[in-house]
Amino acid sequence: MRPPSDTSLYQRVGGRATIAAIVDDAVRNIATDPRISQRFRHADAPGLKERLEELLCERSGGPCVYRGRNMAEAHDGMRIRDDEFDALIDDIARSLDKFKVPAAERAEALKVLRQMRSAIVGH
């Protein structure tokens, strides 16, 4: 049975605990992904997890407030390539699959992330 259409993505994926688990798993995927792990070699892993969790929570309609910098500012000068962005999306998609996020919600979550491409890639 599908939830009512006015139910947020945040609620449909299981709320903050599920988002936290997905983010935790995704950060592990990213750290071991040879396509992009070097980009995160010196990252503050706890801070990255916290900001990514806030971002996904907020953008999925949850009660969180993202406290990080805007995406363009945060990635300025990094020259992120399309293939690197795609690798990050792949790693998050693997985590969504691991936690059995239903196909519609998976697609919606990935769409939310892909909307940030222009603010991240090529700066």
Side-chain angles (χ1 to χ4, degrees):
M1 184 166 102
R2 294 278 305 157
S5 61
D6 62 344
T7 303
S8 70
L9 176 60
Y10 173 83
Q11 293 168 313
R12 287 180 281 134
V13 299
R16 185 75 182 247
T18 302
I19 289 173
I22 290 167
V23 167
D24 189 57
D25 189 69
V27 169
R28 278 195 303 275
N29 291 342
I30 292 162
T32 60
D33 186 336
R35 300 173 295 173
I36 57 172
S37 60
Q38 72 284 355
R39 287 281 190 180
F40 296 89
R41 185 177 43 234
H42 301 293
D44 166 23
L48 175 64
K49 286 180 188 180
E50 185 175 0
R51 294 292 89 75
L52 187 53
E53 185 179 326
E54 288 172 354
L55 181 69
L56 294 177
C57 175
E58 180 182 87
R59 299 248 174 133
S60 66
C64 308
V65 175
Y66 173 66
R67 295 176 291 147
R69 296 182 293 167
N70 72 56
M71 292 294 108
E73 181 183 306
H75 296 90
D76 190 43
M78 295 180 73
R79 297 187 176 123
I80 305 292
R81 301 184 317 259
D82 278 308
D83 63 307
E84 293 171 319
F85 183 84
D86 292 339
L88 179 98
I89 296 295
D90 289 348
D91 291 336
I92 295 171
R94 283 179 40 216
S95 296
L96 293 168
D97 292 343
K98 178 178 178 177
F99 288 92
K100 299 183 183 350
V101 172
E105 286 73 17
R106 179 188 189 276
E108 190 175 341
L110 294 175
K111 180 181 178 184
V112 166
L113 294 168
R114 287 184 181 116
Q115 290 172 342
M116 293 182 256
R117 179 184 295 272
S118 65
I120 295 171
V121 172
H123 296 279

